[in-house]
Amino acid sequence: MRAVVIDGPGSVRVDTRPDPALTGPDGIIVAVGAAGICGSDLHFYDGEYPLAAPVALGHEAVGTVVETGPQVRTVAVGDQVMVSSVAGCGGCEGCATGDPARCRLGPQVFGSGALGGAQADLLAVPAADFQVLKVPDGITTEQALLLTDNLATGWAAARRADIPFGGTVAVIGLGAVGLCALRCAFLQGAATVFAADRVDGRLGRAAAWGATPVGSPAVEAVLAATGGRGADSVIDAVGTDASLTDALSAVRPGGTVSVVGVHDLQPFPLPALACLLRSITLRLTIAPVQRTWPELIALLQSGRLDVDGIFTTTLPLDEAAQGYAIAGSRSGDNVKVMLRP
């Protein structure tokens, strides 16, 4: 089969690898129909994560079940499914909450070495009854792909931000996750959402969806717009030292900072005393993908939640290198890239 691999910073290619085998009696094989390039994939592309060997990339996949183990109950060969980007064992008390981050064995992410990459012709999925869901009626391929990671992450970011009804939210970073978080913040009660990014085109997208774009420096803009008080809630969808510092500085005393941006491997110098004196709540998480599905699917099917316009580029799998170059440009015209095997 073909699989997208990375050998080093900026070095993406399509490799030929053996077809995957079932991981066990509870596993399935999915023929991937669509895969997304995620902002966290760019940590490998930008050289922020070390590579001991070529890594098969990708953790967002929608496709068709082509093989199942004898213990799989919820899907069958021929079903169209979406695969959670974050995997758990599926049998422990943590996974019973629908949050693979709470798995007793620890969560795993596709496309990070331990599991296969989703940007491929085929993907082996363990504990399939926990990891996958049939694509529901009325859900498009684009929506299903966002449900595997970015939309679930944006929803969780807003849920964990303690947004008061009628409150103010600042979203830092307007990639796919940030734009999803922006829309979810409105659904969860925010009256005003400030949108911060360095790219004018992305600020324009946020404004078109009802947010209030703020220029750089973001902290000063948010403070000025709130009379010096700060936002009730801040969502950091970037995860750098600079964005984390801005988030902690832009939140009001007693407010909440919700971090879903993926940080690099270096420690962050937390201003603990300032956070303590201002009674700041700080939450960080990867997405509890499976837990979000019942809420998000109903909102998408009803039309209450609109995620159109998140995907801006679609390419065949063989053009993955071009797709990564587009995603890595972080331009205003390009938000998210879909690869089609």
Side-chain angles (χ1 to χ4, degrees), residues 1-3 5 13-18:
M1 71 168 187
R2 297 169 302 162
V5 302
R13 59 186 172 85
V14 177
D15 194 13
T16 300
R17 296 197 163 189

Side-chain angles (χ1 to χ4, degrees), residues 101-266:
R102 301 187 184 190
C103 178
R104 181 186 296 177
L105 301 180
Q108 298 185 75
V109 179
F110 289 95
S112 59
L115 297 175
Q119 295 163 14
D121 290 315
L122 298 169
L123 180 65
V125 181
D129 289 335
F130 178 65
Q131 250 74 256
V132 308
L133 183 72
K134 291 182 187 178
V135 177
D137 292 339
I139 298 298
T140 67
T141 297
E142 290 81 3
Q143 290 171 336
L145 205 50
L146 289 171
L147 283 165
T148 68
D149 181 7
N150 291 169
L151 181 55
T153 302
W155 182 257
R159 292 280 277 192
R160 291 166 63 87
D162 299 328
I163 300 170
F165 286 104
T168 56
V169 179
V171 176
I172 299 175
L174 301 176
V177 169
L179 290 173
C180 287
L182 180 158
R183 295 185 176 192
C184 293
F186 279 123
L187 275 178
Q188 294 179 31
T192 302
V193 177
F194 300 108
D197 199 285
R198 297 177 180 176
V199 180
D200 289 341
R202 297 190 176 196
L203 291 171
R205 289 177 187 275
W209 294 332
T212 302
V214 294
S216 182
V219 174
E220 285 80 351
V222 171
L223 292 176
T226 56
R229 180 171 176 262
D232 296 309
S233 309
V234 179
I235 296 170
D236 179 4
V238 181
T240 62
D241 283 4
S243 65
L244 285 166
T245 299
D246 282 353
L248 293 169
S249 301
V251 72
R252 67 163 171 80
T256 298
V257 172
S258 175
V259 181
V260 290
V262 180
H263 198 266
D264 60 27
L265 301 180
Q266 301 303 311

